[in-house]
Amino acid sequence: LVLNGIRAKFTGQSARIFVDRTVFEIYIDGGREYFATRRNPNDFGSQESKVFSQSEIQSLKVFRLKSIWEN
């Protein structure tokens, strides 16, 4: 799985991905494995994220949270 350049190689069955203004976090199988990276501050204006997988993705849900940051 590659999320905006983060390569997360795992053998689990599920992944939860959290994208914030400053960090990307990927939790595999309820936290058994964990990947995180800081986001480039220059990318704060971008609201686009890209996910790539070499395996078939069975299900994908996206939830948008209300921001605590002022515009």
Side-chain angles (χ1 to χ4, degrees):
L1 178 71
V2 179
L3 171 65
N4 287 2
I6 302 172
R7 181 172 302 278
K9 186 174 183 178
F10 63 92
T11 58
Q13 298 296 313
S14 67
R16 289 189 144 209
I17 302 168
F18 295 88
V19 180
D20 190 293
R21 289 180 115 190
T22 60
V23 69
F24 292 108
E25 297 176 311
I26 304 171
Y27 296 88
I28 310 303
D29 288 341
R32 191 184 80 206
E33 294 180 64
Y34 170 77
F35 301 89
T37 189
R38 290 265 175 222
R39 191 170 189 180
N40 184 340
N42 297 324
D43 293 340
F44 283 172
S46 174
Q47 298 209 5
E48 181 179 278
S49 292
K50 297 179 183 180
V51 177
F52 299 96
S53 176
Q54 292 180 345
S55 300
E56 181 178 341
I57 297 174
Q58 298 289 326
S59 175
L60 177 65
K61 294 179 184 179
V62 178
F63 300 94
R64 185 177 182 106
L65 301 175
K66 181 180 175 188
S67 177
I68 64 168
W69 301 97
E70 293 183 23
N71 291 336

